[in-house]
Amino acid sequence: MNQKIIIAIDGYSSSGKSTLAKAISKKLKYKYIDSGAMYRSIALFAIRKKIFDSSDLWNIQNFIPLLKEVNLKFKWNHKYNRTDIFLNEENIQSKIRSEQVESKVSFISQFPEIREKLTLMQRDIGKNKGIVVDGRDTGHYVFPKSELKIFMKGSIEIRSYRRYKDLKNRGKKVSYEEVKKNLIHRDIMDTSRNISPLKKSIDSIEIDNTFLSIEKQLNLIFQLIKKIT
């Protein structure tokens, strides 16, 4: 591969976007941008600022000015061979996976001021190309000129099972039905919000990975990359 490109992967919650994006970035030695981790970081920041503690649940006027305090960076973790996210120099990679953050992230994602700040951050990281980025609106909004756009989907049952298994592996006490209900709610929030809703770009290549192994997905992706580089 001579020229560096931008690979944008969008799709539904627990559709395997980040697993695929990480595998591609390792193979190509590209920088991986986990946009979901960025939104989770803002949710964690809001929780720490006790924004959700007020009786009206959310006080956007008080929170937006605090965004200027936020500095997010991705750094390579040599110990675990992965990219971690840092909020104001603190490694919060494990903290953003809590159920408390999980329950607030779709809500956080609705606000245009937050989306705008994180969009500018992502574009800044990707200005020299050579990145793989996953999220909900990366292909059609954040990087509309990306050379390869993928849209991931899968049945609600398989996505719920993946998420359930992941949470169980991390020692969380949850039921499959609870996870499925949460995912259906997130799908509705993600597809119906006014600002940059989850949708497939016209030039995206759709991958339904309900029955596709990660190896088959990667083979498909690298065939596509060969055609455009």
Side-chain angles (χ1 to χ4, degrees):
M1 258 184 80
N2 301 324
Q3 67 186 90
K4 286 191 171 181
I5 62 170
I6 293 174
I7 301 167
I9 304 176
D10 289 313
Y12 290 89
S13 247
S14 298
S15 59
K17 299 183 302 293
S18 58
T19 302
L20 185 62
K22 286 173 193 170
I24 296 167
S25 71
K26 276 184 185 174
K27 183 119 179 175
L28 296 179
K29 293 185 169 52
Y30 272 21
K31 189 176 280 188
Y32 166 55
I33 303 176
D34 181 351
S35 70
M38 296 174 84
Y39 283 96
R40 285 169 180 271
S41 301
I42 300 293
L44 177 68
F45 180 72
I47 290 164
R48 287 178 169 182
K49 292 290 182 185
K50 305 197 181 327
I51 294 299
F52 298 104
D53 291 1
S54 58
S55 55
D56 60 351
L57 183 69
W58 176 264
N59 192 332
I60 193 71
Q61 284 78 24
N62 286 349
F63 184 63
I64 295 304
L66 301 180
L67 287 175
K68 64 178 180 292
E69 296 175 21
V70 172
N71 179 29
L72 296 177
K73 278 182 188 160
F74 287 101
K75 294 179 187 175
W76 185 251
N77 185 324
H78 293 281
K79 185 180 175 183
Y80 294 108
N81 197 29
R82 69 183 187 197
T83 305
D84 286 353
I85 192 162
F86 285 71
L87 168 64
N88 300 336
E89 302 305 319
E90 175 197 352
N91 188 333
I92 54 164
Q93 188 65 29
S94 58
K95 294 177 180 133
I96 59 170
R97 299 291 158 188
S98 72
E99 284 174 69
Q100 195 185 14
V101 169
E102 178 80 27
S103 66
K104 299 287 186 247
V105 69
S106 285
F107 192 66
I108 281 283
S109 306
Q110 295 179 71
F111 295 99
E113 295 91 342
I114 293 170
R115 297 201 73 82
E116 194 54 37
K117 180 177 178 75
L118 294 189
T119 294
L120 291 172
M121 280 186 182
Q122 288 169 57
R123 286 176 180 160
D124 188 55
I125 297 168
K127 62 180 182 284
N128 297 320
K129 300 200 175 187
I131 60 161
V132 185
V133 55
D134 69 50
R136 303 290 194 280
D137 62 349
T138 32
H140 72 271
Y141 181 67
V142 184
F143 294 108
K145 293 182 179 174
S146 48
E147 289 82 355
L148 180 60
K149 295 176 188 174
I150 307 293
F151 189 87
M152 306 286 293
K153 61 187 278 193
S155 71
I156 186 65
E157 288 76 20
I158 199 79
R159 290 191 289 124
S160 301
Y161 178 67
R162 283 179 193 141
R163 180 84 186 127
Y164 170 71
K165 213 165 62 167
D166 179 45
L167 288 169
K168 292 293 275 185
N169 288 342
R170 288 196 262 127
K172 308 288 182 189
K173 289 182 180 177
V174 286
S175 69
Y176 168 80
E177 285 304 322
E178 197 183 334
V179 171
K180 186 177 176 182
K181 190 178 168 186
N182 185 35
L183 268 190
I184 291 168
H185 175 67
R186 282 198 67 178
D187 286 352
I188 293 165
M189 294 274 278
D190 289 338
T191 54
S192 62
R193 66 169 176 253
N194 294 325
I195 308 294
S196 295
L198 168 67
K199 66 177 182 182
K200 180 176 173 276
S201 296
I202 298 168
D203 52 348
S204 278
I205 291 150
E206 188 172 283
I207 295 177
D208 185 332
N209 69 358
T210 303
F211 303 109
L212 273 188
S213 68
I214 185 68
E215 289 78 17
K216 285 182 179 172
Q217 292 172 60
L218 282 170
N219 286 340
L220 180 59
I221 298 292
F222 285 109
Q223 282 171 24
L224 294 168
I225 290 171
K226 274 181 191 172
K227 286 180 185 173
I228 58 174
T229 56

